Amino acid sequence: MPNGARDGGGDGNRSPVRRRRRVLTASTTRAQKFRALRGLGVLGGVAGLLVALLVLPTACTAGVNARDSARWFDSVPADLDTSGVPQRSRILAADGSTLATFFYQNRVDVPLDGIAPIARKAVVAIEDSRFYEHGAIDAQGTLRALVSDLGNGEVTQGGSGITQQYVKNLLLTQADSTAERNAAKEISAARKIRELRYAVAVEQRYSKDEILRRYLNIAYYGAGAYGIEAASRRYFSKHASQLNLAEAALLAGVVRYPFAYDPTRHPEAARKRRDTVLQRMADLGYITQDTAAAAERQPVRLKVQDVKSGCVTSTAPFFCDYVQREILANPVFGATSGDREKLLKRGGLTIRTTLDRRAQKAAQRAVDDAVPARNSAHKAAAEAMVEPGSGRIKAMVVDRRLGSDKVRGKTWINFAADADHGSSIGMQAGSTFKAFTLAAALDQGLPFGTRLMAPKEFTPVGYRDCKGRRVGDASASLHNAGDGEGGKPFSIVTGTQHSVNTFFLALEKKVGLCPTVKMAEKLGMRQATGAPLQQYPSFTLGINQVSPVRLAAAYAAFGARGRYCSPIAITQITNAAGHRLKVPSAHCEQALDRETADAVNYVLRGVLTKGTAAGQGIGRPAAGKTGTVDNFSAAWFAGYTPDLASAVWVGDPRGGYKHPMSDLCMDGRCYGPVYGATIPAPIWHQSMVGALAGTPASSFVRPPSRFFSKGSGEETAKPPDVRGMKVADAAAKLRGAGFKVRVGAPVKSDYPKGTVAEVSPSSAQPGGTVTLRPSKGPGKGAGGPKRRDEAGGPRHGIPG
């Protein structure tokens, strides 16, 4: 946007795209003649009006009309708004580093002391050298320009001072419609008079220094840079306060014709224009001739910094997109979508977020390692990490790049988020939903040792939804897929460890479908589309389509001992004036009794040690649940520690049922059928280890004794026969078998003194305590150890 010629000071290097020429020649067309005459008429009108306006204030005694006109001209216009100009907004990570920038106009408003004094002098020298001497209207410069323009038959000198140029730029910047923009640019007497009147008002309202500051912050410097701070960063990668003489002169020279003097496009024209500014500064005595000559000998040294608007180039593009959608969709940031977009792209916001750079990097690497963006199988993966007890989203990744789906390896859909934050309609959750049935059962007081029969097939009847309606299908038969087994009873602990479908269908029936649904809802679960959860017997098997970020937030509540916080991405927003704006709250509440949450953690820890995800532990207390969706259409893993929770999804964006992972080969690696433990759990393992590196490990709280009223729920086993062994050797053997050891009081026996005489109990749960009783030796009349039976086994104790 050219700002027009201002100062009468010499410029021997006019724009290469704008040449001085006479309009009326022999070859001039009628249309050209008409436009020229119209322009001359406008200029003549402006000249006459300007002369009158310049005279009116000092000749107001000529009559009432002249007096009223003078008062009208001097009065402050009611519609003059100088409240601010569009500034770019930034999204910051938790550590303060920039994730993305948004703007209509790339502008950073700075105070006057944030602009190098030499840069201020350079602009005044070339734009309006009498700025500090004249009022709003520079009569001398304006009349000189008008005479020149009338003599040439076209506009060759604008004659506008810095104040008038500020007003012109302000009106153009504040224009919201095409009509307003055209009105701000049209060549007419009405526009010129309006600008002159506004200029008078501005001079009455602000000091010269403030007007200069505002002008330097609003002017266009080419290459998408508005304001001197953005221009300084764009061309030199430094703040405006750090500009040297040569750099300041270059920027001052760009303003007249930003495109023609853009140093990235026209370096030679920019250099010549710079030298013109330097010479003008020397002529005015701002610098010496020697200083100007030395600066002119310097080459133009650029260090270009390219600033893009939006999330595409962000280092956390899908998290950035989540934040952007949060602002554009949430009424807290404006009554209409247009208001919210204007706030984001013009409001100069500083948006501080929850993103943890370390967690984000670890999650992205884990997802990309397992499911590359352009993998041969066209699969995709997504992960979200949420902090227990706060709801803060620490990481959000997709294995794609943000962009058009027409380009392989890119997508606009954020598979980690709900539809309102990423366009995803969600994915079926699979067995990760069994955790809500588990929580509902423990919340009702069922102990760990509660055992239920898990048939090989299950007919889903006898269920009622939360409206009391019978739901189920007597003709259906649900069974245990690849992630479970059946045909025998399981406890709450072992049924969870083995993820037995029919066990959880039976448990859900015992607990009640509605209490199970309500438990999931209390922990923030809903469908990714925003719709309520579907209530059918297969609810516990994960028929609902959800997002990783919402599932991670639900599991985070277990890690926070039942305290649920809705996921949040923004911690603070300040506008250009430094005022804080209201941001969405996590609305934390105690959704689950603490002791019940402790019991859930106790059970889900076993999934990582003895269950479907055995071997995926992360070296600190952790818990989780695998999820394999019907027909291997998708796979999940959701896991957590008291410090961090995460949910991982792997599937096919083209449709999981059309493209199942029943026999997956990807980039030369073949997996066979993909379960939750096949790809998602290793992603979770790698990302959690990286995200928590350097963080002290926190422990879960042991659940109260009432949950152990029927035992630990673990499967029982027979301890090895250690009778006759030395106590120390026997204890070592039992510990090696996974039992704890206690030494009881010695007893008389036929075994040699000091060896083990008795072992109790005869069977125990893994991790249970076995008591050893040493032998005192034989009593009176004893004839040594009793003989063994004919089969070679011991007469007393546990068979071998």
Side-chain angles (χ1 to χ4, degrees):
M1 178 194 67
N3 289 312
R6 259 77 71 187
D7 193 81
D11 178 14
N13 301 289
R14 307 293 299 177
S15 166
V17 296
R18 184 171 184 178
R19 297 176 180 173
R20 182 180 299 182
R21 64 182 176 84
R22 293 188 180 275
V23 175
L24 303 179
T25 65
S27 61
T28 303
T29 65
R30 283 189 176 184
Q32 290 173 327
K33 290 177 180 178
F34 175 76
R35 286 195 297 269
L37 291 173
R38 182 180 63 182
L40 289 172
V42 168
L43 289 169
V46 172
L49 285 168
L50 178 60
V51 170
L53 290 169
L54 292 172
V55 171
L56 276 173
T58 58
C60 57
T61 56
V64 175
N65 290 338
R67 180 193 62 197
D68 292 343
S69 296
R71 288 177 178 174
W72 170 85
F73 189 74
D74 284 337
S75 64
V76 177
D79 60 342
L80 177 60
D81 179 12
T82 60
S83 58
V85 295
Q87 297 186 51
R88 69 187 192 185
S89 296
R90 292 185 302 151
I91 295 179
L92 309 181
D95 63 2
S97 58
T98 301
L99 294 176
T101 306
F102 291 86
F103 52 81
Y104 286 132
Q105 296 179 350
N106 179 21
R107 178 184 285 107
V108 181
D109 199 84
V110 291
L112 194 63
D113 60 9
I115 304 169
I118 195 65
R120 298 179 230 160
K121 291 180 179 179
V123 170
V124 170
I126 197 66
E127 294 295 309
D128 187 357
S129 62
R130 300 180 64 253
F131 172 65
Y132 282 94
E133 300 170 17
H134 62 69
I137 303 170
D138 181 6
Q140 178 181 324
T142 301
L143 290 174
R144 181 181 65 245
L146 286 171
V147 170
S148 175
D149 291 340
L150 288 169
N152 284 286
E154 64 171 343
V155 179
T156 59
Q157 293 188 31
S160 298
I162 284 176
T163 305
Q164 293 176 52
Q165 282 301 308
Y166 164 66
V167 168
K168 179 179 179 180
N169 278 280
L170 181 66
L171 295 175
L172 185 59
T173 298
Q174 293 178 343
D176 288 325
S177 65
T178 301
E180 290 177 350
R181 284 189 288 272
N182 290 339
K185 293 187 294 184
E186 69 177 356
I187 300 176
S188 68
R191 179 189 67 79
K192 192 66 178 178
I193 295 303
R194 182 189 183 204
E195 288 179 4
L196 291 173
R197 186 185 177 210
Y198 280 6
V200 170
V202 167
E203 291 266 356
Q204 290 176 350
R205 183 177 296 181
Y206 302 115
S207 67
K208 286 287 188 177
D209 281 349
E210 176 60 15
I211 295 170
L212 178 61
R213 184 196 74 82
R214 287 169 174 262
Y215 173 69
L216 291 171
N217 277 300
I218 202 172
Y220 182 53
Y221 288 81
Y226 290 82
I228 195 167
E229 174 70 11
S232 183
R233 296 187 195 183
R234 171 72 173 115
Y235 295 122
F236 305 115
S237 295
K238 62 169 61 174
H239 294 291
S241 61
Q242 301 169 319
L243 291 169
N244 61 35
L245 172 61
E247 293 164 344
L250 183 90
L251 293 185
V254 167
V255 178
R256 178 175 292 190
Y257 300 123
F259 178 81
Y261 296 133
D262 180 345
T264 63
R265 294 173 177 267
H266 308 292
E268 184 58 24
R271 187 192 65 78
K272 290 180 179 179
R273 175 65 175 164
R274 179 203 67 180
D275 294 349
T276 298
V277 175
L278 291 169
Q279 188 56 53
R280 179 63 176 164
M281 294 176 73
D283 292 343
L284 292 170
Y286 292 170
I287 58 176
T288 66
Q289 288 290 350
D290 289 343
T291 301
E296 288 177 19
R297 289 194 293 270
Q298 296 180 20
V300 174
R301 296 186 179 92
L302 301 179
K303 188 178 179 182
V304 177
Q305 183 184 87
D306 193 15
V307 179
K308 299 291 186 182
S309 178
C311 296
V312 173
T313 58
S314 173
T315 54
F318 289 95
F319 177 83
C320 171
D321 186 63
Y322 185 96
V323 173
Q324 178 185 8
R325 291 172 186 263
E326 173 70 20
I327 293 174
L328 296 180
N330 199 322
V332 75
F333 297 112
T336 68
S337 58
D339 291 339
R340 296 188 288 270
E341 184 174 7
K342 185 181 293 185
L343 175 66
L344 176 62
K345 295 185 177 180
R346 302 181 65 168
L349 305 180
T350 299
I351 305 163
R352 298 186 179 277
T353 72
T354 59
L355 185 118
D356 183 305
R357 285 280 194 182
R358 180 175 58 187
Q360 177 74 13
K361 186 176 180 179
Q364 191 70 64
R365 183 185 297 115
V367 164
D368 290 345
D369 287 350
V371 188
R374 301 177 65 181
N375 66 81
S376 60
H378 302 281
K379 303 307 178 205
E383 181 175 14
M385 291 180 159
V386 176
E387 182 179 65
S390 72
R392 296 186 174 192
I393 302 171
K394 292 297 185 177
M396 180 176 286
V397 301
V398 175
D399 72 319
R400 301 286 197 267
R401 302 297 173 258
L402 188 64
S404 172
D405 296 82
K406 295 179 180 179
V407 180
R408 189 179 173 197
K410 293 185 177 183
T411 184
W412 289 118
I413 300 174
N414 185 352
F415 298 114
D418 285 352
D420 59 351
H421 284 78
S423 302
S424 173
I425 61 172
M427 296 73 68
Q428 285 190 333
S431 295
T432 58
F433 257 47
K434 290 173 181 173
F436 305 124
T437 309
L438 169 67
L442 296 171
D443 192 50
Q444 291 184 9
L446 273 63
F448 298 140
T450 302
R451 300 178 72 83
L452 297 174
M453 183 65 187
K456 291 189 176 180
E457 293 187 355
F458 191 97
T459 302
V461 293
Y463 297 82
R464 290 182 183 272
D465 65 15
C466 290
K467 292 184 178 180
R469 298 173 299 193
R470 292 184 180 274
V471 291
D473 186 354
S475 64
S477 180
L478 303 177
H479 56 85
N480 295 304
D483 61 352
E485 55 193 75
K488 62 180 182 180
F490 289 88
S491 71
I492 284 180
V493 171
T494 57
T496 303
Q497 290 175 357
H498 295 279
S499 195
V500 184
N501 287 351
T502 56
F503 170 82
F504 271 93
L505 287 164
L507 184 62
E508 180 185 59
K509 187 173 182 179
K510 182 178 180 66
V511 171
L513 173 59
C514 185
T516 301
V517 172
K518 287 188 176 298
M519 177 59 69
E521 289 176 341
K522 285 196 299 182
L523 295 172
M525 293 311 303
R526 68 183 185 210
Q527 293 193 71
T529 59
L533 296 169
Q534 299 182 73
Q535 300 181 28
Y536 298 105
S538 52
F539 178 90
T540 191
L541 305 183
I543 60 168
N544 282 280
Q545 298 187 119
V546 300
S547 67
V549 69
R550 197 160 289 278
L551 189 64
Y555 273 64
F558 297 141
R561 302 191 70 197
R563 179 178 170 83
Y564 172 74
C565 302
S566 57
I568 59 169
I570 301 171
T571 58
Q572 179 183 304
I573 298 180
T574 54
N575 62 18
H579 300 139
R580 288 193 180 187
L581 306 184
K582 183 180 179 181
V583 298
S585 168
H587 301 293
C588 298
E589 59 183 20
Q590 195 68 33
L592 185 63
D593 179 77
R594 285 188 171 192
E595 294 179 343
T596 301
D598 295 337
V600 171
N601 299 336
Y602 174 86
V603 176
L604 293 183
R605 287 187 68 178
V607 174
L608 288 165
T609 57
K610 307 168 188 175
T612 52
Q616 293 298 332
I618 57 175
R620 63 176 69 209
K625 184 69 189 73
T626 53
T628 306
V629 183
D630 187 37
N631 196 39
F632 299 103
S633 58
W636 290 77
F637 188 81
Y640 59 98
T641 73
D643 303 302
L644 188 64
S646 166
V648 178
W649 164 84
V650 175
D652 198 308
R654 300 170 299 175
Y657 285 99
K658 289 183 178 179
H659 305 278
M661 297 187 292
S662 54
D663 189 16
L664 178 66
C665 285
M666 181 170 57
D667 293 351
R669 292 178 290 181
C670 291
Y671 300 91
V674 175
Y675 300 95
T678 307
I679 300 177
I683 291 175
W684 176 87
H685 171 95
Q686 181 181 340
S687 61
M688 289 288 283
V689 168
L692 292 171
T695 302
S698 300
S699 298
F700 294 113
V701 177
R702 181 175 175 81
S705 59
R706 69 176 184 271
F707 290 106
F708 296 91
S709 61
K710 292 186 178 181
S712 68
E714 299 282 358
E715 295 175 348
T716 60
K718 294 181 179 180
D721 184 11
V722 294
R723 289 173 303 153
M725 296 176 62
K726 292 182 178 180
V727 174
D729 293 339
K733 186 171 183 179
L734 287 168
R735 290 191 184 101
F739 297 95
K740 297 177 182 178
V741 178
R742 175 179 175 274
V743 179
V747 297
K748 293 179 181 181
S749 78
D750 294 335
Y751 287 97
K753 184 178 180 180
T755 63
V756 176
E758 294 179 4
V759 180
S760 63
S762 60
S763 64
Q765 294 172 343
T769 300
V770 174
T771 300
L772 304 179
R773 304 191 73 181
S775 172
K776 289 183 178 180
K780 291 183 179 180
K786 294 186 177 181
R787 68 176 180 87
R788 294 176 178 268
D789 60 18
E790 293 180 354
R795 279 182 173 271
H796 307 288
I798 304 170

Short mmCIF file of all heavy atoms in Angstrom, two decimals, residues 414-428 433 524-534 544-551 636:
data_model
loop_
_atom_site.label_atom_id
_atom_site.label_comp_id
_atom_site.label_asym_id
_atom_site.label_seq_id
_atom_site.Cartn_x
_atom_site.Cartn_y
_atom_site.Cartn_z
N ASN A 414 -7.91 -33.14 13.24
CA ASN A 414 -7.16 -33.42 14.47
C ASN A 414 -7.77 -34.66 15.12
O ASN A 414 -8.76 -34.57 15.85
CB ASN A 414 -7.22 -32.23 15.41
CG ASN A 414 -6.36 -32.41 16.64
OD1 ASN A 414 -5.82 -33.49 16.88
ND2 ASN A 414 -6.22 -31.37 17.43
N PHE A 415 -7.16 -35.83 14.90
CA PHE A 415 -7.71 -37.07 15.42
C PHE A 415 -7.62 -37.15 16.95
O PHE A 415 -8.24 -38.02 17.55
CB PHE A 415 -6.97 -38.26 14.80
CG PHE A 415 -7.13 -38.37 13.32
CD1 PHE A 415 -6.04 -38.20 12.48
CD2 PHE A 415 -8.37 -38.62 12.76
CE1 PHE A 415 -6.18 -38.28 11.10
CE2 PHE A 415 -8.52 -38.70 11.38
CZ PHE A 415 -7.43 -38.53 10.55
N ALA A 416 -6.86 -36.26 17.56
CA ALA A 416 -6.72 -36.28 19.01
C ALA A 416 -7.83 -35.53 19.72
O ALA A 416 -7.95 -35.62 20.94
CB ALA A 416 -5.37 -35.70 19.41
N ALA A 417 -8.65 -34.75 18.98
CA ALA A 417 -9.60 -33.84 19.60
C ALA A 417 -11.03 -34.15 19.18
O ALA A 417 -11.28 -34.91 18.24
CB ALA A 417 -9.25 -32.41 19.23
N ASP A 418 -11.97 -33.52 19.89
CA ASP A 418 -13.38 -33.63 19.54
C ASP A 418 -13.67 -32.85 18.26
O ASP A 418 -12.84 -32.09 17.78
CB ASP A 418 -14.24 -33.07 20.67
CG ASP A 418 -14.33 -34.00 21.86
OD1 ASP A 418 -13.85 -35.14 21.75
OD2 ASP A 418 -14.87 -33.59 22.91
N ALA A 419 -14.90 -33.02 17.76
CA ALA A 419 -15.28 -32.37 16.51
C ALA A 419 -15.21 -30.85 16.60
O ALA A 419 -14.79 -30.19 15.65
CB ALA A 419 -16.69 -32.80 16.11
N ASP A 420 -15.59 -30.28 17.74
CA ASP A 420 -15.59 -28.82 17.86
C ASP A 420 -14.20 -28.22 17.97
O ASP A 420 -14.03 -27.02 17.89
CB ASP A 420 -16.46 -28.37 19.04
CG ASP A 420 -15.98 -28.95 20.36
OD1 ASP A 420 -15.09 -29.82 20.35
OD2 ASP A 420 -16.49 -28.52 21.42
N HIS A 421 -13.20 -29.07 18.16
CA HIS A 421 -11.83 -28.59 18.25
C HIS A 421 -10.91 -29.22 17.20
O HIS A 421 -9.70 -29.02 17.26
CB HIS A 421 -11.24 -28.88 19.63
CG HIS A 421 -11.74 -27.96 20.70
ND1 HIS A 421 -12.97 -28.09 21.27
CD2 HIS A 421 -11.17 -26.88 21.30
CE1 HIS A 421 -13.14 -27.14 22.19
NE2 HIS A 421 -12.06 -26.38 22.21
N GLY A 422 -11.46 -29.98 16.28
CA GLY A 422 -10.57 -30.62 15.33
C GLY A 422 -11.24 -31.36 14.21
O GLY A 422 -10.57 -32.07 13.45
N SER A 423 -12.56 -31.27 14.09
CA SER A 423 -13.33 -31.86 12.99
C SER A 423 -13.46 -33.38 13.04
O SER A 423 -14.10 -33.97 12.19
CB SER A 423 -12.72 -31.47 11.62
OG SER A 423 -12.69 -30.06 11.49
N SER A 424 -12.86 -34.02 14.03
CA SER A 424 -12.94 -35.48 14.11
C SER A 424 -14.25 -35.89 14.76
O SER A 424 -14.67 -35.32 15.78
CB SER A 424 -11.77 -36.03 14.92
OG SER A 424 -11.94 -37.42 15.15
N ILE A 425 -14.90 -36.92 14.19
CA ILE A 425 -16.14 -37.42 14.80
C ILE A 425 -15.82 -38.50 15.83
O ILE A 425 -16.72 -39.09 16.41
CB ILE A 425 -17.09 -37.99 13.73
CG1 ILE A 425 -16.44 -39.17 12.98
CG2 ILE A 425 -17.52 -36.91 12.77
CD1 ILE A 425 -17.40 -39.89 12.04
N GLY A 426 -14.55 -38.73 16.08
CA GLY A 426 -14.14 -39.68 17.10
C GLY A 426 -13.98 -41.09 16.57
O GLY A 426 -14.30 -41.39 15.42
N MET A 427 -13.48 -41.96 17.44
CA MET A 427 -13.25 -43.36 17.10
C MET A 427 -13.75 -44.22 18.26
O MET A 427 -13.68 -43.81 19.41
CB MET A 427 -11.75 -43.61 16.89
CG MET A 427 -11.14 -42.87 15.70
SD MET A 427 -10.91 -41.07 15.91
CE MET A 427 -9.63 -41.00 17.14
N GLN A 428 -14.28 -45.41 17.93
CA GLN A 428 -14.76 -46.30 18.98
C GLN A 428 -13.64 -46.59 19.96
O GLN A 428 -12.50 -46.85 19.58
CB GLN A 428 -15.29 -47.60 18.37
CG GLN A 428 -16.65 -47.44 17.70
CD GLN A 428 -17.26 -48.78 17.34
OE1 GLN A 428 -16.56 -49.76 17.12
NE2 GLN A 428 -18.58 -48.81 17.25
N PHE A 433 -13.05 -48.52 27.74
CA PHE A 433 -14.26 -48.15 28.49
C PHE A 433 -14.53 -49.11 29.65
O PHE A 433 -15.38 -48.82 30.50
CB PHE A 433 -15.46 -48.08 27.55
CG PHE A 433 -15.87 -46.67 27.20
CD1 PHE A 433 -14.91 -45.75 26.80
CD2 PHE A 433 -17.19 -46.27 27.25
CE1 PHE A 433 -15.27 -44.45 26.46
CE2 PHE A 433 -17.56 -44.98 26.92
CZ PHE A 433 -16.61 -44.06 26.52
N GLY A 524 -16.23 -37.00 32.50
CA GLY A 524 -16.11 -36.13 31.33
C GLY A 524 -16.35 -36.77 29.99
O GLY A 524 -16.18 -36.11 28.96
N MET A 525 -16.75 -38.04 29.95
CA MET A 525 -16.87 -38.70 28.66
C MET A 525 -18.17 -38.32 27.95
O MET A 525 -19.23 -38.23 28.56
CB MET A 525 -16.81 -40.22 28.83
CG MET A 525 -15.47 -40.73 29.29
SD MET A 525 -14.03 -40.10 28.36
CE MET A 525 -14.44 -40.61 26.70
N ARG A 526 -18.05 -38.08 26.68
CA ARG A 526 -19.16 -37.88 25.77
C ARG A 526 -18.66 -38.24 24.39
O ARG A 526 -17.46 -38.42 24.19
CB ARG A 526 -19.64 -36.43 25.81
CG ARG A 526 -18.63 -35.45 25.23
CD ARG A 526 -19.10 -34.01 25.34
NE ARG A 526 -18.17 -33.10 24.68
CZ ARG A 526 -17.97 -31.85 25.05
NH1 ARG A 526 -18.62 -31.36 26.08
NH2 ARG A 526 -17.12 -31.08 24.39
N GLN A 527 -19.54 -38.37 23.45
CA GLN A 527 -19.11 -38.67 22.09
C GLN A 527 -18.35 -37.47 21.53
O GLN A 527 -18.59 -36.32 21.91
CB GLN A 527 -20.31 -39.01 21.21
CG GLN A 527 -21.00 -40.31 21.60
CD GLN A 527 -21.95 -40.77 20.54
OE1 GLN A 527 -21.54 -41.21 19.46
NE2 GLN A 527 -23.24 -40.69 20.83
N ALA A 528 -17.45 -37.74 20.62
CA ALA A 528 -16.62 -36.68 20.06
C ALA A 528 -17.45 -35.64 19.31
O ALA A 528 -17.02 -34.49 19.16
CB ALA A 528 -15.56 -37.26 19.14
N THR A 529 -18.62 -36.03 18.85
CA THR A 529 -19.51 -35.08 18.17
C THR A 529 -20.20 -34.15 19.15
O THR A 529 -20.86 -33.20 18.75
CB THR A 529 -20.58 -35.84 17.38
OG1 THR A 529 -21.33 -36.67 18.30
CG2 THR A 529 -19.95 -36.71 16.31
N GLY A 530 -20.07 -34.42 20.44
CA GLY A 530 -20.76 -33.65 21.46
C GLY A 530 -22.05 -34.29 21.91
O GLY A 530 -22.67 -33.84 22.88
N ALA A 531 -22.47 -35.35 21.24
CA ALA A 531 -23.71 -36.05 21.59
C ALA A 531 -23.52 -36.86 22.87
O ALA A 531 -22.40 -37.26 23.21
CB ALA A 531 -24.14 -36.96 20.45
N PRO A 532 -24.63 -37.13 23.60
CA PRO A 532 -24.54 -37.98 24.80
C PRO A 532 -24.07 -39.38 24.44
O PRO A 532 -24.19 -39.82 23.28
CB PRO A 532 -25.97 -37.99 25.34
CG PRO A 532 -26.64 -36.81 24.71
CD PRO A 532 -25.99 -36.62 23.38
N LEU A 533 -23.56 -40.09 25.42
CA LEU A 533 -23.08 -41.46 25.20
C LEU A 533 -24.24 -42.38 24.89
O LEU A 533 -25.32 -42.28 25.48
CB LEU A 533 -22.34 -41.95 26.45
CG LEU A 533 -21.06 -41.19 26.81
CD1 LEU A 533 -20.58 -41.60 28.19
CD2 LEU A 533 -19.98 -41.40 25.77
N GLN A 534 -24.03 -43.29 23.95
CA GLN A 534 -25.04 -44.31 23.63
C GLN A 534 -25.11 -45.33 24.76
O GLN A 534 -24.07 -45.77 25.26
CB GLN A 534 -24.70 -45.01 22.32
CG GLN A 534 -24.66 -44.07 21.12
CD GLN A 534 -24.36 -44.81 19.85
OE1 GLN A 534 -25.20 -45.55 19.32
NE2 GLN A 534 -23.14 -44.65 19.36
N ASN A 544 -18.90 -46.41 21.92
CA ASN A 544 -18.99 -44.97 21.69
C ASN A 544 -17.73 -44.43 21.03
O ASN A 544 -16.62 -44.87 21.33
CB ASN A 544 -19.24 -44.25 23.01
CG ASN A 544 -20.68 -44.34 23.46
OD1 ASN A 544 -21.54 -43.60 22.96
ND2 ASN A 544 -20.97 -45.25 24.37
N GLN A 545 -17.94 -43.45 20.15
CA GLN A 545 -16.82 -42.83 19.43
C GLN A 545 -16.35 -41.60 20.20
O GLN A 545 -17.11 -40.64 20.40
CB GLN A 545 -17.25 -42.45 18.01
CG GLN A 545 -17.66 -43.66 17.19
CD GLN A 545 -17.92 -43.32 15.74
OE1 GLN A 545 -17.27 -43.83 14.82
NE2 GLN A 545 -18.88 -42.45 15.51
N VAL A 546 -15.12 -41.65 20.64
CA VAL A 546 -14.59 -40.61 21.51
C VAL A 546 -13.24 -40.13 20.98
O VAL A 546 -12.72 -40.65 20.00
CB VAL A 546 -14.44 -41.13 22.95
CG1 VAL A 546 -15.79 -41.58 23.50
CG2 VAL A 546 -13.43 -42.27 23.03
N SER A 547 -12.67 -39.14 21.68
CA SER A 547 -11.38 -38.58 21.27
C SER A 547 -10.31 -38.92 22.31
O SER A 547 -10.61 -39.09 23.49
CB SER A 547 -11.48 -37.06 21.13
OG SER A 547 -11.71 -36.47 22.39
N PRO A 548 -9.06 -39.01 21.89
CA PRO A 548 -7.97 -39.26 22.84
C PRO A 548 -7.87 -38.22 23.95
O PRO A 548 -7.59 -38.57 25.09
CB PRO A 548 -6.72 -39.24 21.94
CG PRO A 548 -7.22 -39.73 20.62
CD PRO A 548 -8.59 -39.12 20.49
N VAL A 549 -8.10 -36.94 23.65
CA VAL A 549 -7.93 -35.92 24.69
C VAL A 549 -8.97 -36.07 25.79
O VAL A 549 -8.67 -35.91 26.98
CB VAL A 549 -7.97 -34.50 24.09
CG1 VAL A 549 -9.35 -34.12 23.59
CG2 VAL A 549 -7.48 -33.48 25.11
N ARG A 550 -10.18 -36.45 25.44
CA ARG A 550 -11.22 -36.62 26.46
C ARG A 550 -10.99 -37.90 27.25
O ARG A 550 -11.22 -37.94 28.46
CB ARG A 550 -12.60 -36.62 25.79
CG ARG A 550 -13.72 -36.38 26.77
CD ARG A 550 -14.97 -35.91 26.07
NE ARG A 550 -14.82 -34.55 25.58
CZ ARG A 550 -14.98 -33.47 26.34
NH1 ARG A 550 -15.27 -33.58 27.63
NH2 ARG A 550 -14.85 -32.28 25.84
N LEU A 551 -10.51 -38.95 26.58
CA LEU A 551 -10.22 -40.20 27.28
C LEU A 551 -9.04 -40.01 28.23
O LEU A 551 -9.04 -40.51 29.36
CB LEU A 551 -9.93 -41.31 26.28
CG LEU A 551 -9.82 -42.72 26.86
CD1 LEU A 551 -11.14 -43.17 27.47
CD2 LEU A 551 -9.37 -43.72 25.79
N TRP A 636 -6.28 -49.03 20.95
CA TRP A 636 -6.03 -47.94 21.89
C TRP A 636 -5.14 -48.40 23.04
O TRP A 636 -5.05 -49.58 23.34
CB TRP A 636 -7.35 -47.48 22.53
CG TRP A 636 -8.32 -46.77 21.67
CD1 TRP A 636 -9.16 -47.32 20.74
CD2 TRP A 636 -8.61 -45.37 21.69
NE1 TRP A 636 -9.95 -46.36 20.17
CE2 TRP A 636 -9.64 -45.15 20.74
CE3 TRP A 636 -8.11 -44.29 22.41
CZ2 TRP A 636 -10.17 -43.88 20.50
CZ3 TRP A 636 -8.64 -43.02 22.18
CH2 TRP A 636 -9.66 -42.82 21.23
#
